[in-house]
Amino acid sequence: MPHILVGNFRRVILISGDVVGVTMILVTGGAGYIGSHCALKLMEAGEDVKVFDSLELGTQHALDVLGREFPDRFKGFVKGDLKEPEDIRRAVTEDVEAVVHFAAYSQVAESMRNPRRYYENNVIGTINLLGAMADARVGMIVFSSTAATYGEPVYTPIDEKHPKAPINPYGATKLIAERIMQDYEKHGIRSARLRYFNVAGADPKGRLGECHDPETHLIPNVLKAAGTGKEFSMFGTDYDTRDGTCVRDYIDVNDLAEAHVLALRYLRNGGRTDCFNLGTNGGSTVREVFAVCRDVVGEDIPLKECLRREGDPAVLVADNRKAREVLGWEPKSTLRDSVARAWAWERTRP
Ligand code: UDP
């Protein structure tokens, strides 16, 4: 049968126009907060998607949404644990073109209490995934990394060349996973490693949102206080910043998902293994975020000023020029957009 080749050499389009062969994207952790938004965005962009998830942190609700919204493009779900090589082998079949890898633990404080859990899941899990990819000859991976790979900022905004000195096991596991991926380039797997700053918000149509238990992140905690009347604890008001509270770079989860679609395109076009910061180039203080939340909610939120939380740097802001220039990425949502969508989700979530 005559055929032409496009992008990746394993993707075949017949002259009839039908796409055959390896065209599916495997999303590990696709039932989780960021993974599910990204799976939805990939399908909106015309990709076929399969999800691998243990459902330890991911939800059946997210899978139901993916299947309901895109019954033709959602190619199924493999339940499994990344720490089990046989589980991930079942998901990385030869019809997979690329992997977008989210499955990981991501709580800083928990990683300090239980580093082994983090190294096993985030590092050994990634090794198992790369092994399965190498065996199935899957040559591209987009990786969910983090600003925690940089550690305490030496300068700000932080660009990709900033020294990498993680100050907690979570950041260390992600940096090690990045390094392992870099070494796999010579063995046929190219990677785009995306370092997220503070991810926030929810699906604009209210289908998906953030569901962590326990919840440690700022915006969901402020909104939870608004919903329940319980006090919101503001950690640290004596930092050397414009109002004494920490500055973070909040990036909307939908903009973040879009960056993964573009990173996949970058790899398909032959892009080399590289890393990209995903943030907005700007920051908001905890007090500013609190004020936006109060404004969106439309009523006072009980607030308690507390001591600093251990391990919080004063300022973390991304220099995102590389992602803009190389991937053509442009974050569009404002902090207010993210908060408004998170609030809509908080009130209606299942
Ligand atoms: N924060 C807070 N109260 C909370 C949760 C977070 O004051 O209940 C502060 C936290 O100390 C930090 C900022 O909000 O300065 C962002 O924290 P988050 O956990 O959302 O993200 P991180 O920057 O730790 O990844």
Side-chain angles (χ1 to χ4, degrees), residues 81-133:
D81 182 341
L82 216 48
K83 297 193 292 302
E84 299 296 335
E86 286 315 313
D87 282 8
I88 187 62
R89 256 174 226 288
R90 278 194 290 123
V92 187
T93 43
E94 297 220 334
D95 54 356
V96 169
E97 183 195 7
V99 176
V100 186
H101 176 32
F102 297 96
Y105 294 144
S106 62
Q107 302 284 344
V108 169
E110 187 193 38
S111 80
M112 311 273 265
R113 287 195 303 274
N114 193 349
R116 176 176 169 179
R117 186 172 147 82
Y118 276 67
Y119 283 97
E120 283 180 351
N121 196 47
N122 297 3
V123 178
I124 296 178
T126 300
I127 292 172
N128 290 340
L129 171 63
L130 291 167
M133 288 174 66

Side-chain angles (χ1 to χ4, degrees), residues 162 165 231 236 254 278 307 319:
H162 185 284
E231 270 174 344
N254 302 288
L278 298 182
L307 297 175
D319 180 330

Side-chain angles (χ1 to χ4, degrees), residues 198 216-218 221 232-235 246 248 250 286 309 312:
N198 288 57
T216 61
H217 292 120
L218 173 61
N221 274 350
F232 161 69
S233 300
M234 183 178 275
F235 299 134
C246 290
R248 293 289 180 275
Y250 295 90
V286 175
R309 188 172 70 176
D312 275 341

